[in-house]
């Protein structure tokens, strides 16, 4: 009988610890999302490789999805799935902007100073209402060098608005635009191609035509971005730092 009670006590204790285990949720777009067939697919989202930089004491749920904006992520019900799971002690990284720029798609486009800002504020407020910690991030930069080797910004006012919301609402913030600009510039116009998807036809079995994608990341690019992100997250002192290796 004592043995049975001891086993039950261990099971209950284990379940209790599991229930208290926090979750890090990622919401965003294709630069962060998990990609199909990762063993063969050269493209990786930085959130896809983030787990290798975290301890086993936190769960990771990557809900980022290709082509989503701060608007469509909500209208498609993707935020509902996250919000219903949120509990005290969890964390939510919020990174949108790439697809909010799409002027030709009314399901995704948002004005940076009105709809986009309001969407970010709502994600922050709803995360906090569940006792979880929101973390805002600017979009990663595109590899966009001009003929003089100068990296040219493509995100206009969207990163600025993220900074403003983070400042006004006192939200933990990582300036991924700045970090990835530094990454691209340090690599230079040619070597930075390795961080993205640049292949000649037949060079990689996954692509039968020439590939020159300066937005999305290779595995090397994703791991480099994820490493920079975790280094910054560790310095924020939100509580997440104790779950970073």
């Amino acid at each position: 009988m004592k043995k049975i009670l001891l086993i039950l006590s261990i099971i209950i204790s284990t379940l209790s610890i599991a229930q208290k285990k926090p979750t890090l949720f990622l919401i965003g777009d294709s630069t962060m999302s998990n990609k199909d067939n990762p063993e063969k697919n050269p493209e990786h989202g930085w959130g896809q490789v983030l787990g290798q930089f975290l301890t086993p004491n936190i769960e990771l749920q990557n809900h980022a999805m290709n082509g989503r904006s701060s608007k469509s992520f909500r209208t498609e019900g993707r935020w509902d799935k996250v919000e219903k799971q949120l509990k005290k002690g969890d964390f939510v990284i919020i990174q949108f902007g790439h697809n909010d720029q799409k002027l030709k798609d009314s399901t995704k486009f948002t004005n940076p100073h009105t709809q986009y800002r309001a969407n970010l504020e709502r994600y922050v407020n709803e995360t906090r209402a569940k006792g979880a910690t929101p973390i805002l991030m600017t979009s990663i930069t595109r590899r966009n060098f001009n003929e003089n080797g100068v990296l040219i910004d493509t995100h206009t006012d969207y990163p600025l608005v993220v900074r403003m919301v983070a400042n006004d609402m006192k939200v933990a913030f990582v300036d991924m635009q700045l970090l990835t600009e530094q990454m691209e510039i340090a690599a230079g116009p040619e070597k930075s191609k390795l961080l993205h998807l640049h292949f000649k036809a037949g060079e990689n079995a996954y692509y039968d035509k020439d590939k020159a994608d300066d937005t999305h990341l290779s595995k090397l690019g994703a791991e480099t971005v994820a490493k920079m992100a975790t280094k910054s997250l560790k310095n924020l002192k939100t509580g997440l730092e104790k779950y970073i290796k």
Side-chain angles (χ1 to χ4, degrees), residues 60-76:
L60 176 64
Q61 286 194 28
N62 188 1
H63 289 260
M65 186 61 60
N66 293 11
R68 272 57 185 188
S69 71
S70 66
K71 178 181 180 180
S72 62
F73 193 86
R74 182 182 291 277
T75 57
E76 291 178 1

Side-chain angles (χ1 to χ4, degrees), residues 65-103:
M65 186 61 60
N66 293 11
R68 272 57 185 188
S69 71
S70 66
K71 178 181 180 180
S72 62
F73 193 86
R74 182 182 291 277
T75 57
E76 291 178 1
R78 297 179 185 279
W79 173 244
D80 287 343
K81 292 178 182 178
V82 174
E83 189 181 16
K84 286 175 183 176
Q85 297 181 67
L86 278 179
K87 64 184 184 300
K88 186 176 181 180
D90 286 344
F91 304 87
V92 182
I93 292 178
I94 304 158
Q95 186 187 57
F96 291 103
H98 276 96
N99 299 299
D100 287 81
Q101 293 182 286
K102 293 187 174 179
L103 285 164

Side-chain angles (χ1 to χ4, degrees), residues 4 38 70 76 116 119 127 130 134 137 147 173 178 186 192 208:
I4 293 172
S70 66
E76 291 178 1
Y116 180 65
N119 289 344
T127 298
K130 289 296 190 84
M137 290 187 173
E147 65 277 8
F173 169 69
L178 173 61
S192 59
D208 56 6

